[in-house]
Amino acid sequence: RLPEVTSSALGRARCARARAPAARASRAAGLWRGTMTSLYETVRRTRPTTADADRAAGVSPNAHLDGRSGGSEALLNGHGGVYDLALKAKIDGSKSLLSGLWSSASAMPEVELEFEHPVSVEELRASLRSLRSAGAALNAARGAAHAEPLCLRLQCEALQFLQPTWGAPGAQPPLSSGAVPACSSSAPATKGHAEDEEAKPQDSTTYLLSKEELQRMRAEMRNSCHRRQEEQARRRHEIVSGCPVFLSMRMRRILELALRLRPAHVGGDGDGDFDAMCLDDASAQVVAALIVRHRFSYAQVLSFVKTEAKSTLNSQDLYTRTLAAMADDMKNNNPPTGVEFKPEPCIPASRPVFPGCEAAAALLKPAGAIAVADESALAKGGGSLRRLRSWFGPDDDVAGSHDDLYKVRRKIVMSDLPIWSRQDLIKQTVAANKVTLLQGETGSGKTTQVAAYILEMVEALKSEAAYPAPRGASGPPCRIICTQPRRIAAITVAKRVAEELGEVVGEGVVGYKVRGVSVCGPKCKILFCTTGVLLRRLSQEGQNDMFSPKTVTHLIVDEVHERNCETDFMLTFVRQVVQQREHLRVVLMSATMDAECFLRYFSIGASQPPLLKVEGRCFPTHEVFLDTINSRFGRDGMSKGMSPDELRQAPPKSASENDGIDYELIAEILKEIDSSDEGAWQFVSEAEKGEHHVANPKTGAVLIFLPGTGEISQMVATIEEAGMPEHWWVLQLHGALGAEEQQDAFKTVFPAGKTLKIIACTNVAETSVTVPDVTVVIDSCRERRTGIDKFSNTPQLKEQWCALDSLKQRRGRAGRVQPGVCIRLLTQSRLESLEGKTLPEMQRVPLENIYLQLCSIGIGNHNEFFAKTPDPPEETAVKLARAALRDLGALDDRAADGLTPLGRHLAALPCHPRLGKILVLGCLFGVPGAVLSICAAMSGRSPMMTTQDTQKRSAWQTERAKLLQEVGCKSDHCAWAVLMQLWSSEGVVRRDLCKRYGLSYERMSAAFFERRHLCESLVQAGFINKDFLKEERERLQDLDQPDVEPPDWTVVCAVIAGGLFPNVLQVERSSPKFSGPSTAGEKNKWMRYSILQTHLNDSGAVSYPKACNMHPNSLCFGQDHYKCPLLAFYTIQQTTKLYVYDATEVSPWAILLFGSPPVWNEASRRLEVGGWAHFACARGDLVLPLINSAREALMAVLTRKIKDRDSPFDPAAAPELQACVALLRSAGLGFEVVPQEPPSWPFLEQLREEGAEQIAETARERAMEARMLAPGGRAV
């Protein structure tokens, strides 16, 4: 190989001749260094050093050979035998070893090299003489036309001298004559070499290239550069494209022990290569250090460690040499940011994930098993192993329990309601018909009165023995269910009905059930509940026993016009079974229902259900539009009421951080209403004022409709910052509030000193719920409506204009007690362009939740069921739902209900299945708090705000980058979990936290409330204990323990990736044209992102890569280096481009354990997951059975949890889970690097100190103000 190495070196030297003298000198030094490196490395590999021979020779292993002639002879004469010799070749300022090629040797710097190799004295003496004679020959030939070919030939022949055929130790290699450039120096020549020195020419003429030669040289340089770039690109592609999987022998044995597998025989693959699937402890620790401490990617580590492991004997050398090789290859070739090339003195300390015998013994604990009979029973009708008992009221299965006759005695008689005069007609119609439609206008009293009328009817029929009686004369217990679309409506209406009957809700015949709360006793006959709660009860009953007398005898569906998925889902079941249930009566109620649609849907042949209409009791309400408001305040053109879509597409200057809602304008309107004697009537025209006389225009409360809880928080903050008068009573009303807080809005007795009640609410106050004293409505005309993202088939809670039917409901809230005023924050022309009715939710949202409910109930033909809904969805939406659930691992065609154990758990959670899977996995792997925060944030809009203020945006990005660095993983979702934890911590000022990181206060508030609701769902499912939130709050409020240990973010990222799969994008880094420091935007230009786009048609699924972009608001924007070139995402949306808004770096083992079943492609030697994620694995036949066993063990744990939902879940009791946690934490290596500092919540202590200083400063200011004024208002 040596002649080839030297030939290429001299070929590069020919190109370097035409450069400047200084450059030529530097090039000469580099050429000599490279040639000698290749030469002595070959010699070293040919004949390794023998330590015994060194000791026998009795010589020092560090003898030196000076490159100058005098020093070399003296050193050679002083030693003999065979020994390790360190060569220091010095090219000093006198002349060059390659003087035959360069004439400007005097400018060369001194270069010192040191190599160790076995060599004999006679060999070195002969080699030096040959080098000098060859130099003389080259100098004589310089300037001739054949100088370069001659130099090359002579150099090749000379190098053959040092390519010996070694025999026994100490044998002398044969030498022959040849030519090598002279080895000369400024030192005087020793005896025996004077002839060589005299033979050197003194001419220093420079050889000049012709024009043709220069052109040829340039062409050769360009071709060489192109070949070098192609080789670099090929190698980079090989490194980046194939993310490998690591598995140590330690981790393999741990998994086999925990999963109770027979230990597999793992031998070498025969070629002696480095095997990433069978790492020993030393290699595993080196790989762990390079990945965790030095932050190299998996592919980079495998590529370089595999090369260096061939010639390295111990882990320290492997660690050092690998880092050196990485530095040589990447440091000057646009290295990624964040990696550390400098090695530490010793390998970073690491610890095994399962040290000692105690951990091994823990894995041997019996994991428990579930009988096959039990598992089959779980797959039937909703997964209940016991016979269902009565849902409320008297228990039919308990001896002595019976339904007593109940005499309805009203404490409050609402005879002034319009529906009072129609009660007899309603009773007769409901008794005579299976389905009844009741269209009652706003204020008619249908919501609070119909349930009581039906109860009176049932009790009257029982007393007359006319009630259907399959159980005997008394018949089944009366169970009246009234469904409401929102939990606040169910609670409020139940309390109102109980109050009219003279009872306390939950103690008499009236109760309610909402998510996480059940208030009903054994006497309960009227139950108010949300639609979702009833659906979960129906899923437990199964298809054959649905709507049994143990659940319901009379079903009232209120606000049926809202047409959400749950309502349509339930109505489809009602239509299928209502004719088969003798006891069942159904009443559909709404003020704005599409009566024709429901009449057609429930018709049987030519027979239609009856339709009853009841007029409302509402005073006239006058509308005031934004045109009038702008004119009144002189705000021409300042507030135009832009829609959310227009705001997203508007120029940057048109966008604002307030999402288009003018909070300052609303605060100004409130001040005008309070200060004027006419109140809100000052905005009404004189002609309209004359039509209705209002005795006291300022009487009543003000109701402000806003899209969500975040906007409500922002509105309240704006009012407070604008200088709220002390007599204002500002309240919030939305579904995230507790029941007690919600009731404040319905109080008509004000606290002392309060005269004006202002309620900021969402659309929960639009229907069902009636605030009794409202006379003014300020309507933003916006709502959060659930939609679907066509690219990822995920739900999106998008803000948009309301439909006209919703606006009509809101306007009616102001005319309950007297003529009212409704102020619309949009122009009249804009109002006329809005859609008339809200599109049914079934046609605009993903159907995964509905599909899961169908499976859990036991319905086999899903397409047929969807076709029977009132407004069937598109067939493509059903196919997408089925494909998404299959990718999540929720469907199993072999099961009776078509669900896996994971799917049965997801069916019981009230969230999107992807978020539900994250929650389930987070509880299984011991990180419930983090995943609760993440899923709460993903349920709404991202809490990260953006702004057009360059300075503010730069400050936010800086703080966010610091936060991401402290977390230690590249993940938007983990950063959200940290921010939510800081938000909840005692001593942290939330406003300052939002200001520092650019967070939306209202979105953080909404996420905080949603987190509590998700926690309640996990408590009901049995994954966490009921005191989880209390215990967590106590830990965070303990200021004496500022460093509460955070979760393992590696496990959190793995859980996120497993839950979001197949929402995975591939990342590729192209080589930038210019290296050096750059901004996040410049780095992002060289990143390429792509997702797997899937289209479904009649012939099947068609998938292809589609380019996308990382949104600038994501914390991953500008990141140019990932350990694995895959990112999991949740939100993706097409605006000006296809943007990914949040992402998390993926772990290979997370995808293999939680994604689609992996397949090993023997041709490419890769593990493939879902046809999109590929992982390099040379020995897939060994690792694939281990992966499948771990996946089956995970399903077995979930199956056991279904069997025992009521007992608290303990992840430590499942050894298979502990082994999988160790696998994820260590990336399959069995070792985790010890952190340099103990883990803690980032910046928590700093924020607490800043909060304490701010509180103290505020207290000092208030104390100063108090001292400045005397009690009588005089200055002290």
Side-chain angles (χ1 to χ4, degrees), residues 896-929:
D897 59 353
L899 293 177
T900 63
L902 174 63
R904 297 181 192 119
H905 283 291
L906 297 182
L909 295 176
C911 60
H912 189 272
R914 285 198 180 106
L915 301 185
K917 185 176 180 180
I918 294 176
L919 291 172
V920 171
L921 293 178
C923 294
L924 292 182
F925 290 93
V927 288

Short mmCIF file of all heavy atoms in Angstrom, two decimals, residues 896-929:
data_model
loop_
_atom_site.label_atom_id
_atom_site.label_comp_id
_atom_site.label_asym_id
_atom_site.label_seq_id
_atom_site.Cartn_x
_atom_site.Cartn_y
_atom_site.Cartn_z
N ALA A 896 -62.57 -10.51 20.31
CA ALA A 896 -64.02 -10.48 20.08
C ALA A 896 -64.53 -9.07 19.87
O ALA A 896 -65.44 -8.85 19.06
CB ALA A 896 -64.74 -11.15 21.25
N ASP A 897 -63.97 -8.11 20.59
CA ASP A 897 -64.40 -6.72 20.43
C ASP A 897 -63.52 -5.94 19.47
O ASP A 897 -63.74 -4.75 19.26
CB ASP A 897 -64.44 -6.01 21.79
CG ASP A 897 -63.08 -6.02 22.47
OD1 ASP A 897 -62.16 -6.67 21.97
OD2 ASP A 897 -62.95 -5.35 23.52
N GLY A 898 -62.50 -6.59 18.91
CA GLY A 898 -61.63 -5.91 17.96
C GLY A 898 -60.61 -4.99 18.60
O GLY A 898 -59.96 -4.22 17.88
N LEU A 899 -60.46 -5.04 19.93
CA LEU A 899 -59.56 -4.13 20.63
C LEU A 899 -58.46 -4.90 21.33
O LEU A 899 -58.67 -6.01 21.83
CB LEU A 899 -60.33 -3.29 21.67
CG LEU A 899 -61.34 -2.28 21.15
CD1 LEU A 899 -62.05 -1.61 22.32
CD2 LEU A 899 -60.69 -1.24 20.27
N THR A 900 -57.29 -4.29 21.40
CA THR A 900 -56.21 -4.78 22.24
C THR A 900 -56.45 -4.30 23.67
O THR A 900 -57.31 -3.45 23.92
CB THR A 900 -54.87 -4.25 21.74
OG1 THR A 900 -54.87 -2.81 21.84
CG2 THR A 900 -54.62 -4.64 20.30
N PRO A 901 -55.71 -4.82 24.65
CA PRO A 901 -55.84 -4.26 26.01
C PRO A 901 -55.60 -2.76 26.06
O PRO A 901 -56.27 -2.05 26.80
CB PRO A 901 -54.78 -5.04 26.80
CG PRO A 901 -54.66 -6.34 26.07
CD PRO A 901 -54.86 -6.02 24.63
N LEU A 902 -54.63 -2.27 25.26
CA LEU A 902 -54.41 -0.83 25.22
C LEU A 902 -55.63 -0.11 24.68
O LEU A 902 -56.04 0.93 25.19
CB LEU A 902 -53.19 -0.52 24.34
CG LEU A 902 -52.91 0.96 24.07
CD1 LEU A 902 -52.59 1.69 25.36
CD2 LEU A 902 -51.75 1.11 23.08
N GLY A 903 -56.27 -0.67 23.64
CA GLY A 903 -57.45 -0.04 23.07
C GLY A 903 -58.60 0.05 24.05
O GLY A 903 -59.36 1.02 24.05
N ARG A 904 -58.74 -0.95 24.94
CA ARG A 904 -59.82 -0.91 25.92
C ARG A 904 -59.59 0.19 26.95
O ARG A 904 -60.53 0.81 27.43
CB ARG A 904 -59.94 -2.27 26.61
CG ARG A 904 -60.32 -3.39 25.64
CD ARG A 904 -60.47 -4.74 26.31
NE ARG A 904 -60.55 -5.77 25.30
CZ ARG A 904 -59.68 -6.77 25.16
NH1 ARG A 904 -58.67 -6.86 26.00
NH2 ARG A 904 -59.82 -7.65 24.21
N HIS A 905 -58.32 0.42 27.29
CA HIS A 905 -58.02 1.52 28.20
C HIS A 905 -58.26 2.86 27.51
O HIS A 905 -58.78 3.80 28.13
CB HIS A 905 -56.58 1.43 28.68
CG HIS A 905 -56.35 0.40 29.73
ND1 HIS A 905 -56.85 0.52 31.01
CD2 HIS A 905 -55.71 -0.80 29.69
CE1 HIS A 905 -56.50 -0.54 31.72
NE2 HIS A 905 -55.81 -1.36 30.94
N LEU A 906 -57.88 2.97 26.25
CA LEU A 906 -58.07 4.25 25.53
C LEU A 906 -59.55 4.57 25.38
O LEU A 906 -59.93 5.75 25.39
CB LEU A 906 -57.40 4.17 24.16
CG LEU A 906 -55.88 3.98 24.14
CD1 LEU A 906 -55.36 3.99 22.71
CD2 LEU A 906 -55.19 5.06 24.95
N ALA A 907 -60.39 3.55 25.23
CA ALA A 907 -61.83 3.79 25.09
C ALA A 907 -62.43 4.40 26.34
O ALA A 907 -63.48 5.03 26.29
CB ALA A 907 -62.54 2.49 24.74
N ALA A 908 -61.77 4.22 27.49
CA ALA A 908 -62.30 4.74 28.75
C ALA A 908 -61.79 6.13 29.09
O ALA A 908 -62.22 6.71 30.08
CB ALA A 908 -61.94 3.78 29.89
N LEU A 909 -60.88 6.69 28.27
CA LEU A 909 -60.32 8.01 28.56
C LEU A 909 -60.97 9.06 27.67
O LEU A 909 -61.10 8.86 26.45
CB LEU A 909 -58.81 8.00 28.33
CG LEU A 909 -58.00 7.11 29.28
CD1 LEU A 909 -56.53 7.12 28.88
CD2 LEU A 909 -58.16 7.55 30.72
N PRO A 910 -61.39 10.20 28.24
CA PRO A 910 -62.09 11.23 27.47
C PRO A 910 -61.14 12.19 26.77
O PRO A 910 -61.16 13.40 26.99
CB PRO A 910 -62.90 11.95 28.56
CG PRO A 910 -62.03 11.86 29.77
CD PRO A 910 -61.32 10.53 29.68
N CYS A 911 -60.28 11.66 25.92
CA CYS A 911 -59.35 12.50 25.17
C CYS A 911 -59.01 11.78 23.87
O CYS A 911 -59.42 10.63 23.66
CB CYS A 911 -58.08 12.81 25.99
SG CYS A 911 -57.14 11.35 26.48
N HIS A 912 -58.26 12.44 23.02
CA HIS A 912 -57.86 11.82 21.76
C HIS A 912 -57.01 10.58 22.05
O HIS A 912 -56.21 10.57 22.99
CB HIS A 912 -57.08 12.81 20.92
CG HIS A 912 -56.82 12.33 19.52
ND1 HIS A 912 -55.72 11.57 19.18
CD2 HIS A 912 -57.53 12.49 18.38
CE1 HIS A 912 -55.76 11.29 17.90
NE2 HIS A 912 -56.85 11.82 17.39
N PRO A 913 -57.17 9.51 21.28
CA PRO A 913 -56.41 8.28 21.57
C PRO A 913 -54.91 8.47 21.62
O PRO A 913 -54.24 7.79 22.40
CB PRO A 913 -56.82 7.35 20.42
CG PRO A 913 -58.18 7.81 20.02
CD PRO A 913 -58.16 9.30 20.20
N ARG A 914 -54.37 9.38 20.83
CA ARG A 914 -52.92 9.59 20.89
C ARG A 914 -52.52 10.15 22.26
O ARG A 914 -51.53 9.72 22.85
CB ARG A 914 -52.48 10.55 19.78
CG ARG A 914 -52.46 9.90 18.41
CD ARG A 914 -51.62 10.70 17.43
NE ARG A 914 -51.62 10.05 16.13
CZ ARG A 914 -52.28 10.48 15.06
NH1 ARG A 914 -52.98 11.58 15.16
NH2 ARG A 914 -52.24 9.84 13.92
N LEU A 915 -53.29 11.11 22.74
CA LEU A 915 -53.01 11.65 24.06
C LEU A 915 -53.28 10.59 25.14
O LEU A 915 -52.57 10.50 26.14
CB LEU A 915 -53.85 12.89 24.33
CG LEU A 915 -53.68 14.05 23.34
CD1 LEU A 915 -54.49 15.25 23.80
CD2 LEU A 915 -52.22 14.43 23.20
N GLY A 916 -54.32 9.79 24.92
CA GLY A 916 -54.61 8.73 25.88
C GLY A 916 -53.49 7.71 25.97
O GLY A 916 -53.16 7.23 27.06
N LYS A 917 -52.87 7.38 24.84
CA LYS A 917 -51.76 6.43 24.86
C LYS A 917 -50.57 7.02 25.61
O LYS A 917 -49.88 6.31 26.36
CB LYS A 917 -51.36 6.06 23.44
CG LYS A 917 -50.30 4.98 23.37
CD LYS A 917 -50.00 4.56 21.95
CE LYS A 917 -48.93 3.47 21.91
NZ LYS A 917 -48.61 3.04 20.52
N ILE A 918 -50.31 8.31 25.43
CA ILE A 918 -49.22 8.96 26.18
C ILE A 918 -49.51 8.88 27.67
O ILE A 918 -48.61 8.59 28.48
CB ILE A 918 -49.05 10.42 25.71
CG1 ILE A 918 -48.57 10.46 24.26
CG2 ILE A 918 -48.08 11.16 26.61
CD1 ILE A 918 -48.48 11.87 23.69
N LEU A 919 -50.75 9.13 28.06
CA LEU A 919 -51.11 9.07 29.48
C LEU A 919 -50.94 7.66 30.05
O LEU A 919 -50.38 7.48 31.14
CB LEU A 919 -52.55 9.54 29.68
CG LEU A 919 -52.83 11.03 29.43
CD1 LEU A 919 -54.33 11.29 29.48
CD2 LEU A 919 -52.11 11.89 30.44
N VAL A 920 -51.40 6.67 29.31
CA VAL A 920 -51.29 5.29 29.80
C VAL A 920 -49.83 4.87 29.92
O VAL A 920 -49.40 4.32 30.94
CB VAL A 920 -52.07 4.34 28.86
CG1 VAL A 920 -51.79 2.89 29.22
CG2 VAL A 920 -53.56 4.61 28.95
N LEU A 921 -49.04 5.14 28.88
CA LEU A 921 -47.62 4.76 28.92
C LEU A 921 -46.89 5.53 30.01
O LEU A 921 -46.00 4.99 30.69
CB LEU A 921 -46.97 5.02 27.56
CG LEU A 921 -47.45 4.15 26.40
CD1 LEU A 921 -46.74 4.56 25.11
CD2 LEU A 921 -47.20 2.68 26.68
N GLY A 922 -47.24 6.81 30.19
CA GLY A 922 -46.58 7.59 31.24
C GLY A 922 -46.84 7.03 32.62
O GLY A 922 -45.94 7.02 33.48
N CYS A 923 -48.05 6.55 32.86
CA CYS A 923 -48.35 5.93 34.15
C CYS A 923 -47.64 4.59 34.31
O CYS A 923 -47.14 4.26 35.38
CB CYS A 923 -49.86 5.74 34.31
SG CYS A 923 -50.80 7.29 34.40
N LEU A 924 -47.57 3.81 33.24
CA LEU A 924 -46.90 2.52 33.31
C LEU A 924 -45.41 2.66 33.60
O LEU A 924 -44.83 1.85 34.31
CB LEU A 924 -47.09 1.74 32.00
CG LEU A 924 -48.50 1.26 31.66
CD1 LEU A 924 -48.48 0.47 30.37
CD2 LEU A 924 -49.08 0.41 32.78
N PHE A 925 -44.79 3.70 33.05
CA PHE A 925 -43.34 3.86 33.17
C PHE A 925 -42.94 4.91 34.19
O PHE A 925 -41.81 5.38 34.19
CB PHE A 925 -42.76 4.18 31.80
CG PHE A 925 -42.81 3.02 30.84
CD1 PHE A 925 -43.87 2.87 29.98
CD2 PHE A 925 -41.82 2.06 30.84
CE1 PHE A 925 -43.94 1.79 29.12
CE2 PHE A 925 -41.87 0.98 29.98
CZ PHE A 925 -42.94 0.83 29.12
N GLY A 926 -43.86 5.28 35.06
CA GLY A 926 -43.51 6.05 36.24
C GLY A 926 -43.31 7.53 36.05
O GLY A 926 -42.63 8.17 36.85
N VAL A 927 -43.91 8.14 35.01
CA VAL A 927 -43.80 9.59 34.82
C VAL A 927 -45.18 10.20 34.61
O VAL A 927 -45.42 10.92 33.62
CB VAL A 927 -42.87 9.92 33.63
CG1 VAL A 927 -41.43 9.64 33.98
CG2 VAL A 927 -43.27 9.13 32.37
N PRO A 928 -46.14 9.97 35.52
CA PRO A 928 -47.51 10.47 35.29
C PRO A 928 -47.61 11.99 35.34
O PRO A 928 -48.39 12.58 34.59
CB PRO A 928 -48.31 9.82 36.42
CG PRO A 928 -47.32 9.55 37.50
CD PRO A 928 -46.03 9.24 36.80
N GLY A 929 -46.85 12.64 36.23
CA GLY A 929 -46.97 14.10 36.34
C GLY A 929 -46.56 14.80 35.08
O GLY A 929 -47.23 15.74 34.62
#
